Amino acid sequence: MPKVVVVTAAETPVNVEIATRVFGSVVRAHLIRHYLQHPGPQAHAAQALGVTRRAASVNTKLLHDAGVLVEEPSPADARLLIYRVDEQRVAELHAALKDFVTDPA
């Protein structure tokens, strides 16, 4: 199994690059699934998934930056952020990756 693969022969569409980051981690896949079923704070996700708060924080930030997660202040405590999944963005990234890997060009 190769350690690192670097593609330099062709341009990669931006959404494909983002999709590989978003879907290329088991932790991020579990976070998406968790937030889809249980919108809430990072601490709850970390506890539910059995990962460190740091791991939840770093991966939640990446998902938020990619537009997969939307953050909103908690109605109960404005200092607490609630994360929920933008299902349309997930579908968009999934489609971009699927189209890219199945395109015979």
Side-chain angles (χ1 to χ4, degrees):
M1 185 168 186
K3 293 183 182 195
V4 176
V5 176
V6 178
V7 177
T8 57
E11 294 269 333
T12 304
V14 172
N15 270 351
V16 172
E17 288 186 17
I18 294 169
T20 59
R21 287 189 206 118
V22 166
F23 302 128
S25 160
V26 173
V27 172
R28 289 190 286 274
H30 278 279
L31 282 168
I32 293 168
R33 185 177 180 186
H34 173 81
Y35 288 127
L36 185 61
Q37 296 171 353
H38 310 284
Q42 288 179 16
H44 292 177
Q47 184 177 14
L49 298 177
V51 299
T52 64
R53 284 188 181 205
R54 172 105 172 109
S57 176
V58 167
N59 288 286
T60 295
K61 181 182 181 336
L62 185 145
L63 294 171
H64 177 262
D65 290 349
V68 170
L69 296 180
V70 177
E71 62 182 22
E72 303 163 343
S74 168
D77 182 352
R79 297 172 297 166
L80 191 63
L81 292 175
I82 302 299
Y83 291 91
R84 66 173 178 77
V85 175
D86 181 339
E87 294 182 59
Q88 184 175 350
R89 180 64 171 152
V90 171
E92 178 182 300
L93 293 174
H94 181 261
L97 185 58
K98 181 180 182 266
D99 291 347
F100 182 77
V101 299
T102 60
D103 182 10

